[in-house]
Amino acid sequence: MRAHPLATDAVLAFGAFVAMVVGSFADPHGPHGPTFGTRTPEPFSLLLMLLGAAALVFRRRKPRAVLAVTCGLSLLELTTGEPRAPVAMCTVIALYTVAARTDRPTTWRIGLLTMAGLTGVAMLAGPLPWYAQENIGIFAWTGMAAAAGDAVRSRRAFVDAIRERAERAERTRDEEARRRVAEERLRIARDLHDVVAHHIALVNVQAGVAAHVMDKRPDQAKEALAHVRDASRSALNELRATVGLLRQSGDPEAPTEPAPGLGVLGELVDTFRHAGLPVEVIVQLDGAAGPLPAAVDLAAYRVIQEALTNVRKHAGPGAKAEVSVVRVGPSVEVTVLDDGGEAADPAPEPTDPPGGGHGLLGMRERTGALGGTCFAGPRYGGGYRVHATLPTT
């Protein structure tokens, strides 16, 4: 109906024409109430009804013009029709349309003018007595049309206001989510700085050691390695200065120790155990495959840290957690499970971010940056599950 308003109005106009024609055959003054078939409308009245119905087809495009046309046709019928035909029904529909598409003061002015004009002409210039029920009916129907149109307009304005507030809240929530993502990316950049700085420091140390074990042309080798050592030291300083721009004014200074990884997983788990969260840990890493890349090691550590933090915050009392780190082919799978405790939060942290779950955004950002995946969601039977897959190649 909204896609084809003209066709809808045409159907409405046809229905109004049929109703007016049927109503024109009714005699309201029958011996036992209204009776049908006792009178026949005049051809001029049929013409007025047809013109009024045709005008209703354009009621949405030109509401006030259609109201003026239907009022004129109704006045002609009220002053000349005998027996009178219900041409005023077109005016009732047109007045409803105007009231539904304008403001309340305008509705009052137009409605009162239409009611007073049609009712006054019907009482003073019509063939029926001024107190006839048809004249009172015109007053009542036009008044109800104006009131109904104003009520519909108020309802639409109320619904539009609610929809606008909902859309504004949605935009605010999206902006908050984007802001949280940006902050998490900054934290990832800081962690990346720690990792890169750590390895450059190792290169610096190894270059210094190599300067003492060169046998061939030791003087030039020592000089070249000294340049390498100086260059690496300068790179460390420049990298620290560049990434330091990302830090907030109140952030602590960059740590000098290496970035955390699975090597200190035991210390991390002990902190949660001391806080009252029982944690079981299973680590199965094939040593023959070599150590994990630094970025993967750090990401796995951060995923476990965030997942256990969520368990501590959202799970009920008595909750238990299980952590497993397994190397499967060219990837590492990290899984953190909890049983939910005795009275778990009904929504510990949603999988998608429309209403929260910014820690999960950080985990997905970390794993996605390395080409991995991260899933978080409720477990069947209670509790929560976080599973991350990190490629090592």
Side-chain angles (χ1 to χ4, degrees):
M1 294 175 63
R2 294 182 179 179
H4 305 282
L6 191 62
T8 302
D9 291 339
V11 173
L12 175 64
F14 178 77
F17 176 75
V18 172
M20 287 187 294
V21 171
V22 173
S24 63
F25 285 91
D27 183 11
H29 304 288
H32 302 287
T35 57
F36 286 86
T38 58
R39 68 175 185 173
T40 303
E42 296 180 354
F44 184 71
S45 296
L46 290 174
L47 177 61
L48 294 179
M49 287 186 285
L50 179 61
L51 294 176
L56 291 178
V57 177
F58 307 98
R59 68 184 184 94
R60 301 195 201 190
R61 296 186 176 182
K62 301 288 184 180
R64 298 193 182 186
V66 171
L67 178 61
V69 171
T70 54
C71 282
L73 297 175
S74 298
L75 291 175
L76 284 176
E77 176 62 22
L78 292 175
T79 56
T80 61
E82 181 59 28
R84 184 181 294 174
V87 182
M89 183 182 293
C90 298
T91 305
V92 171
I93 298 176
L95 180 58
Y96 164 83
T97 304
V98 172
R101 291 175 171 269
T102 186
D103 55 276
R104 180 163 293 173
T106 304
T107 299
W108 275 99
R109 290 193 297 268
I110 296 178
L112 289 175
L113 180 61
T114 304
M115 294 164 58
L118 292 182
T119 306
V121 170
M123 288 182 174
L124 301 177
L128 298 175
W130 68 270
Y131 54 85
Q133 63 180 2
E134 289 89 342
N135 299 334
I136 305 300
I138 292 174
F139 181 87
W141 278 104
T142 51
M144 287 190 296
D150 183 72
V152 170
R153 179 198 57 77
S154 300
R155 175 65 178 174
R156 289 174 179 171
F158 177 74
V159 172
D160 291 340
I162 293 178
R163 184 180 295 110
E164 181 182 358
R165 286 196 295 268
E167 292 174 354
R168 190 185 304 115
E170 184 69 22
R171 289 194 298 269
T172 303
R173 193 158 49 242
D174 293 340
E175 292 171 359
E176 176 68 12
R178 286 192 292 269
R179 186 181 68 83
R180 293 285 186 173
V181 170
E183 292 177 355
E184 186 62 31
R185 287 174 176 170
L186 289 180
R187 286 192 288 270
I188 295 173
R190 297 166 193 166
D191 290 337
L192 182 61
H193 159 260
D194 297 336
V195 173
V196 175
H198 171 61
H199 284 281
I200 292 181
L202 292 179
V203 171
N204 186 29
V205 173
Q206 292 174 357
V209 173
H212 297 283
V213 297
M214 288 294 184
D215 296 330
K216 185 178 181 180
R217 307 180 70 180
D219 295 335
Q220 294 183 6
K222 291 180 180 180
E223 182 180 357
L225 290 176
H227 288 303
V228 171
R229 183 169 57 252
D230 294 338
S232 61
R233 185 181 296 109
S234 298
L236 280 172
N237 295 332
E238 292 179 3
L239 181 60
R240 185 178 297 108
T242 301
V243 181
L245 298 176
L246 298 176
R247 299 185 182 273
Q248 304 293 334
S249 58
D251 286 351
E253 295 296 329
T256 56
E257 68 272 8
L262 296 179
V264 293
L265 180 60
E267 299 178 6
L268 174 66
V269 172
D270 288 339
T271 60
F272 287 96
R273 288 172 177 167
H274 294 326
L277 177 65
V279 182
E280 296 183 7
V281 180
I282 300 176
V283 178
Q284 296 180 357
L285 297 176
D286 187 5
L292 295 178
V296 174
D297 194 27
L298 173 62
Y301 178 88
R302 293 302 188 193
V303 168
I304 296 173
Q305 183 183 41
E306 182 62 33
L308 291 178
T309 302
N310 289 340
V311 175
R312 180 62 184 165
K313 289 168 55 179
H314 300 290
K320 299 180 181 179
E322 299 178 6
V323 177
S324 67
V325 182
V326 181
R327 192 162 192 167
V328 181
S331 63
V332 173
E333 294 186 0
V334 178
T335 305
V336 180
L337 306 175
D338 70 89
D339 57 7
E342 299 175 1
D345 190 339
E349 198 169 7
T351 303
D352 296 321
H358 303 296
L360 296 179
L361 284 175
M363 287 191 285
R364 292 194 182 94
E365 286 286 331
R366 290 181 183 277
T367 56
L370 298 175
T373 59
C374 181
F375 168 81
R379 297 174 59 193
Y380 178 78
Y384 215 70
R385 176 176 181 265
V386 176
H387 181 78
T389 301
L390 300 170
T392 57
T393 57

